[in-house]
Amino acid sequence: MSGRRLRSGGRIDRERPLSFTFDGVAYAGCHGDTLASALIANGVRTVAESAVHGRPRGVYAAGVEEPNALVRVHSDGFASPVEPMAQATVVPLYDGLRATSLRGGKGRLDPGDPADRGAHDTMHAHCDVLVVGGGPAGLAAARTAAATGARVVLLDEQPEWGGSVLGTRERIADRPALEWVRRTAAELEGRAETTLLNSTTALGRYDHDYVVAAERRGGAGDRLWHIRARRMVLATGAHERPLLFAGNDRPGVMLAGAARTYANRYGTLPGRRAVVCTNNDSAYAAAVELAEAGLEIARLVDARDRVPSYWARMCADRDIPVSAGHMVIGSSGSHEDGGVTAARVAPRPGGGPADAASATGAATGVDCDLLLVSGGWDPVVHLHTQPGGRMRYDERLCAHVPLEPDPRRRVAGAARGLQRLGECLADGVAAGADAAADLGLTAGQVPRPPGAWEPEPAPPLWPLPAHPAADPAAQYVDLQRDSTLADVERAVGAGMRSVEHVKRYTTIGTAHDQGRTSGVTTAAATAGALGVRAGALGPTTHRPPYTPVPFALLAGRARGRLYDPVRTTPMHSWHVGEGAVFENVGQWKRPRYYPRPGEDMAAAVLRECRAAREGVAAMDVSTLGKIEIQGPDAAEFLNRVYTNGFAKLRVGSSRYGVMCRADGMVFDDGVSLRLAEDRFLMSTTTGNAAAVLDWLEEWLQTEWPELRVFCTSVTEQWASVAVAGPRARTVLSRLAPELPLAGADFPFMAWRDAQVAGLDARVARISFSGELAFEINVSGWYGLALWEAVMAAGADEGITPYGTETMHVLRAEKGFVIVGQDTDGTVTPQDLGMDWVVSKRKEFIGRRSHERADMRRPDRKHLVGLLPWNAHELLPEGGHITDGEAALGARGPDRQAVPVPSLGHVTSSYRSAALGRTFALALLKGGRGRIGSTVHVPLDGRTVAAQVTEPVFYDKEGSRRDG
């Protein structure tokens, strides 16, 4: 047998042929095909190998519920990225597609594969009514809601509107249903307030009707939608249930509705001769349409004792033999590909005998190459249950259907158990009208659903009884996990009583299909093993995402150089033009150093350091975090946040402060300026600015809500330039001739408003280098103008731009710490030798922790200085520090090295122009008690000796600060 393309029919374009390869073999398909439909048209029955048992598997479904046909789609090197694991049923066919089957059902990434070139986007949308599902019910709901003027978003996972009717020949008002679909979609497209998103899958629904959806756009890059809706209609349809019998996993076993879709939508037949096995009416419609398309129906096997009269007539008119009260109990397969060659049909246990064969209970074989199964339909309720929506078991439908206690969230059509097209249309209209009315919107005339006569469906028979001749180990409950009915029975025998426990015991429903074809079957099998009714246990939990989603799409454009936002200062272009080497500090690009021709980093930094110590230098410090704190209680708030006092700080002055966490450890530090009685400007470290703002808000909102304080980030609003060095006052006097700069007029830690280079500026006497320094702040709009003015004013003084590496050296020479580098989350201000910054008279965050005995231990790690014995040896930052004697490599009796305890680590290490040597800062156990002693730091298989010193190496008296 081979599948074949029909001469006419379907929604494919036979005039647009496409070529593709599968497992290295070339095939031809048509525009509009999926990979699965094209393989079926080419007679390919085996498309994959099962994950555990290695059994051949064929296409089983026609949509996202497909459990078998997993493929790897290879990149074409241009627009199409690699898809390591995809369902062939949802992969659109395109010219040149290359795909291979997944042996073992597991995708993989190969280092040689081209990277995903898709420029994925993240989109946000708000709407009045979100309708999920573009079938008849969803279209009717969207049309009705849109007629009221509501902002409507309609999305569907398929590239065409129509949902299930795309794969049927159903009619509305005696015309093809797809004509109504086209008219309705065109009407919606003409509404300005309506957004239509096809090829878009709702992945998950979260609290407050927040929905995340993935839009597939091919080579254009996909989109991840974040949608917030005031009202929601879920018209997500239903999935067809499989049936259990021995050998139900062979290639050629397929859902009846899927075969109907392949014939009607894709113009191809999955076989030549079929047996249809069912327990409900829908398989009759499939059999009738397939027979009309040219498929021979060898027998329709209905487990129910009575055949509905309407369908009995339809089958008789098409010479389709029907066996009521029977069921398929097994299949036979070929030796070549394992595909179906026959179905074994037997009377249903407990059913009424319908013919002579059933009187004996013997099974008969029916030759076929296609075995179509239909166990009924399960509403797709994933989006309903994900945020906690409840379910009930409908005894007539033999399915779990949604409970809808909240009118803001309606479930419509097949998603709530309706089976007839006319009922789904009417329900969609009602759902759309209810959603709009709940918003206070009404249409002049609610569109009436078109009428259509359909037979009243008879109740299905579910679950089917176990046949004694059917081997449970050969009945596959989960085709993707190769889990069988025997596995379920074993789980129950081991004491599992919940479907969730059985799921985890057997791994059923944990693969890519997330139980779409196995979840309800597992619940029924578990109920049967426990001897309880089918609806007693409930379904398994549905969790997002509804379908697999690539990590690349979740990341969107946040990959590679766009992984994190890049923030630059207003002076960035100048730094680039001067050849600055940048480093990433938080999200900021900061100049690290400015090399001149022939200079490496070490030479450039030494030159910049000399300029700052001996002449004048300038640094772009715009990246420092800046938070404006306003309100009548601002001073009290800072008094509680910082370890030192701020309540009495005068307007026009500033103060250095340290923040601690509740455990007493240093969290951040910075200088705060008092701008007014009720207004401060706080500075933070560059990389910690967001965390500090979050910390402040947490205390204001949760611990001290009575304080009248507001915090606002103003980092980007200000551009800042630090001018440092003995000649700094000379340069600034040229820029601000009316600003008194003498020490008595402008003392250290004061600030003044002034005109600098003709710009409104705030100037502060702050120094992080220990030299005479001024920090000039202007509006960010004028940052580049200020910088250029500073460099021009200091040109004859040899003003030198310096970067973060030089800043690190200058501050380390003075023993100034950088939080996060010289601290590690276990360090208190006292450990840093900063008792002077910790108030003894007020409460602040962390004070009680400072009073714990553990905080006063003499052997805590202290900040100390290290001077290597070899003045040119640079200690490695992060290097462990060991005791002098132990580091010499003591050995035990067996001559094996004895482990050496670490006493701490090097936090900062530099070459100093001012000292003429290398030096370092370190956190050392009992460090202040070790000053003058020798320690060792391992380096390149040896140890480097260093003397422990005070952490201040340069100008210990602070005489250079005032110029």
Side-chain angles (χ1 to χ4, degrees):
M1 189 285 305
S2 67
R4 65 191 189 280
R5 183 78 73 186
L6 297 175
R7 293 182 180 275
S8 62
R11 302 186 59 75
I12 57 169
D13 188 347
R14 292 172 176 79
E15 301 301 318
R16 297 173 63 183
L18 303 173
S19 61
F20 70 101
T21 63
F22 181 70
D23 283 344
V25 180
Y27 298 103
C30 298
H31 181 79
D33 265 325
T34 63
L35 176 58
S37 66
L39 290 173
I40 290 173
N42 283 276
V44 179
R45 288 218 292 181
T46 301
V47 298
E49 187 179 83
S50 71
V52 180
H53 297 165
R55 291 172 64 86
R57 296 280 166 80
V59 175
Y60 192 77
V64 296
E65 69 273 27
E66 172 60 43
N68 290 339
L70 291 180
V71 299
R72 175 187 180 84
V73 180
H74 300 265
S75 172
D76 60 7
F78 298 98
S80 301
V82 173
E83 290 189 54
M85 187 172 75
Q87 295 162 297
T89 52
V90 297
V91 174
L93 194 68
Y94 58 85
D95 200 46
L97 182 146
R98 294 187 302 119
T100 53
S101 61
L102 287 186
R103 303 299 176 184
K106 299 175 182 177
R108 71 182 190 283
L109 286 173
D110 291 335
D113 284 332
D116 181 0
R117 295 179 175 85
H120 305 307
D121 286 319
T122 297
M123 304 291 288
H124 295 266
H126 295 76
C127 61
D128 295 319
V129 180
L130 170 64
V131 180
V132 181
L139 286 167
R143 179 189 179 204
T144 304
T148 68
R151 293 177 303 156
V152 176
V153 172
L154 171 66
L155 62 85
D156 189 83
E157 65 189 4
Q158 300 197 64
E160 296 183 85
W161 303 108
S164 62
V165 301
L166 290 168
T168 71
R169 300 181 188 176
E170 295 190 81
R171 302 177 72 81
I172 297 176
D174 204 32
R175 298 183 65 84
L178 288 176
E179 287 189 14
W180 177 87
V181 168
R182 282 193 292 270
R183 290 197 307 270
T184 304
E187 179 183 333
L188 289 170
E189 287 174 355
R191 293 190 177 274
E193 293 295 320
T194 298
T195 301
L196 301 182
L197 299 173
N198 53 17
S199 297
T200 303
T201 303
L203 301 174
R205 176 178 155 222
Y206 305 89
D207 292 344
H208 310 295
D209 288 338
Y210 165 50
V211 172
V212 176
E215 179 187 5
R216 299 174 301 281
R217 302 195 301 158
D222 298 341
R223 283 175 173 166
L224 192 70
W225 286 84
H226 298 259
I227 305 171
R228 293 194 180 274
R230 297 175 65 191
R231 299 296 181 268
M232 183 178 297
V233 177
L234 302 178
T236 46
H239 289 319
E240 196 166 16
R241 272 198 301 254
L243 291 172
L244 296 182
F245 52 84
N248 64 333
D249 68 322
R250 296 182 188 278
V253 178
M254 181 181 286
L255 294 173
R260 185 185 187 187
T261 296
Y262 286 117
N264 292 321
R265 183 173 182 180
Y266 300 108
T268 188
L269 292 177
R272 297 181 184 273
R273 177 181 167 89
V275 170
V276 181
C277 177
T278 186
N279 66 351
N280 68 94
D281 289 2
S282 69
Y284 286 86
V288 167
E289 293 180 9
L290 288 167
E292 292 173 349
L295 180 66
E296 179 186 355
I297 307 297
R299 185 178 299 185
L300 194 154
V301 182
D302 192 338
R304 298 172 296 181
D305 292 331
R306 295 180 58 187
V307 178
S309 58
Y310 172 81
W311 292 115
R313 290 194 305 271
M314 295 290 285
C315 290
D317 291 345
R318 291 158 181 79
D319 296 325
I320 299 174
V322 179
S323 295
H326 283 65
M327 53 192 286
V328 170
I329 65 169
S331 68
S332 302
S334 71
H335 294 292
E336 294 180 0
D337 62 3
V340 170
T341 57
R344 291 193 296 130
V345 180
R348 173 175 59 84
D355 52 34
S358 66
T360 63
T364 59
V366 182
D367 292 339
C368 63
D369 60 17
L370 186 62
L371 180 47
L372 304 180
V373 299
S374 177
W377 295 82
D378 294 315
V380 178
V381 294
H382 298 64
L383 295 181
H384 170 74
T385 61
Q386 282 171 0
R390 294 183 294 161
M391 305 284 291
R392 67 175 179 85
Y393 189 75
D394 189 305
E395 297 288 351
R396 177 175 173 81
L397 296 175
C398 299
H400 288 89
V401 297
L403 279 173
E404 301 175 275
D406 192 337
R408 294 176 299 177
R409 303 169 186 89
R410 277 290 309 272
V411 182
R416 72 182 191 97
L418 301 181
Q419 297 178 313
R420 296 192 289 180
L421 179 56
E423 292 178 326
C424 291
L425 284 169
D427 196 46
V429 170
D434 289 348
D438 199 38
L439 296 169
L441 302 172
T442 57
Q445 183 176 0
V446 175
R448 295 186 60 185
W453 180 87
E454 298 169 87
E456 180 71 27
L461 177 65
W462 176 262
L464 299 187
H467 196 281
D471 181 7
Q475 301 181 49
Y476 285 86
V477 177
D478 189 327
L479 296 173
Q480 172 57 203
R481 288 298 193 197
D482 277 348
S483 299
T484 66
L485 180 59
D487 295 326
V488 174
E489 293 174 346
R490 187 178 304 112
V492 173
M496 306 296 116
R497 294 296 181 268
S498 164
V499 179
E500 294 291 349
H501 293 161
V502 171
K503 172 181 176 178
R504 285 153 180 79
Y505 190 94
T506 61
T507 72
I508 289 174
T510 61
H512 75 280
D513 63 342
Q514 287 293 292
R516 280 185 284 276
T517 57
S518 62
V520 176
T521 308
T522 302
T526 304
L530 291 171
V532 300
R533 64 183 182 87
L537 300 181
T540 55
T541 301
H542 302 117
R543 296 183 177 87
Y546 171 64
T547 57
V549 56
F551 283 114
L553 177 57
L554 296 178
R557 292 181 179 267
R559 292 179 291 151
R561 65 184 182 88
L562 299 179
Y563 174 73
D564 207 26
V566 175
R567 303 168 75 182
T568 58
T569 72
M571 301 82 137
H572 185 75
S573 61
W574 191 95
H575 304 319
V576 172
E578 290 297 311
V581 175
F582 293 90
E583 70 170 334
N584 297 322
V585 183
Q587 296 171 328
W588 291 95
K589 290 287 185 183
R590 297 196 70 180
R592 191 176 187 188
Y593 60 98
Y594 299 81
R596 290 179 179 175
E599 283 185 339
D600 59 8
M601 184 177 78
V605 170
L606 289 174
R607 173 179 51 79
E608 292 171 9
C609 286
R610 291 191 188 96
R613 293 287 185 218
E614 299 171 7
V616 63
M619 183 182 189
D620 179 358
V621 293
S622 305
T623 65
L624 292 177
K626 304 173 192 71
I627 302 171
E628 194 157 301
I629 299 170
Q630 299 185 55
D633 298 321
E636 172 61 20
F637 178 54
L638 291 189
N639 225 34
R640 299 182 188 184
V641 167
Y642 282 124
T643 61
N644 49 331
F646 275 77
K648 297 181 180 180
L649 182 66
R650 295 192 305 272
V651 175
S653 297
S654 60
R655 182 165 294 166
Y656 172 79
V658 172
M659 293 183 194
C660 290
R661 299 196 310 260
D663 60 2
M665 306 305 170
V666 173
F667 172 55
D668 201 76
D669 67 342
V671 174
S672 291
L673 285 63
R674 190 161 196 172
L675 308 180
E677 289 297 326
D678 60 350
R679 188 177 170 204
F680 290 80
L681 181 65
M682 173 192 290
S683 69
T684 74
T685 54
T686 295
N688 223 20
V692 169
L693 180 60
D694 180 71
W695 178 252
L696 299 179
E697 289 289 0
E698 179 179 346
W699 284 88
L700 279 174
Q701 295 180 32
T702 64
E703 301 298 328
W704 305 320
E706 74 281 359
L707 292 183
R708 297 163 296 169
V709 177
F710 297 92
C711 301
T712 306
S713 173
V714 293
T715 301
E716 289 84 355
Q717 278 65 41
W718 293 96
S720 306
V721 178
V723 182
R727 304 294 295 167
R729 189 176 280 119
T730 300
V731 172
L732 185 55
S733 66
R734 299 171 180 175
L735 295 167
E738 296 182 3
L739 176 63
L741 296 176
D745 299 322
F746 200 163
F748 183 63
M749 297 303 282
W751 66 267
R752 301 286 186 265
D753 285 336
Q755 286 280 307
V756 178
L759 302 171
D760 291 334
R762 180 178 295 143
V763 183
R765 272 283 316 274
I766 302 171
S767 176
F768 197 44
S769 61
E771 299 293 334
L772 172 67
F774 298 88
E775 185 178 291
I776 310 168
N777 301 273
V778 299
S779 168
W781 295 106
Y782 308 113
L784 180 58
L786 172 65
W787 178 266
E788 290 176 337
V790 169
M791 299 306 294
D796 62 342
E797 298 288 344
I799 192 169
T800 301
Y802 69 98
T804 55
E805 194 67 23
T806 295
M807 177 267 292
H808 280 290
V809 177
L810 298 175
R811 63 90 198 171
E813 290 171 345
K814 290 290 296 178
F816 299 155
V817 300
I818 289 185
V819 175
Q821 177 165 335
D822 299 304
T823 66
D824 61 1
T826 66
V827 179
T828 67
Q830 294 87 343
D831 296 334
L832 298 174
M834 297 171 63
D835 303 69
W836 54 269
V837 84
V838 180
S839 173
K840 305 299 189 294
R841 298 188 298 272
K842 73 178 184 75
E843 289 293 329
F844 56 84
I845 299 172
R847 175 175 179 175
R848 284 179 292 175
S849 295
H850 289 170
E851 296 173 354
R852 295 174 56 236
D854 183 70
M855 297 295 192
R856 303 173 183 274
R857 295 191 341 260
D859 63 344
R860 286 184 60 83
K861 291 181 180 179
H862 300 150
L863 183 73
V864 297
L866 295 180
L867 291 175
W869 284 4
N870 181 343
H872 301 291
E873 193 86 68
L874 187 67
L875 298 177
E877 291 185 348
H880 286 279
I881 302 172
T882 61
D883 183 75
E885 295 181 0
L888 297 178
R891 295 181 178 272
D894 57 358
R895 306 302 298 164
Q896 295 297 314
V898 175
V900 178
S902 174
L903 302 178
H905 70 281
V906 177
T907 62
S908 302
S909 182
Y910 308 103
R911 300 183 187 278
S912 170
L915 302 179
R917 58 164 300 133
T918 60
F919 72 103
L921 296 175
L923 288 175
L924 181 63
K925 186 176 182 180
R928 285 193 284 272
R930 292 176 177 268
I931 291 176
S933 67
T934 298
V935 293
H936 285 70
V937 180
L939 176 64
D940 299 330
R942 56 193 175 89
T943 59
V944 177
Q947 182 182 4
V948 181
T949 70
E950 295 282 353
V952 180
F953 299 92
Y954 181 77
D955 186 28
K956 295 182 179 181
E957 300 79 15
S959 59
R960 301 182 62 86
R961 185 192 67 189
D962 296 322

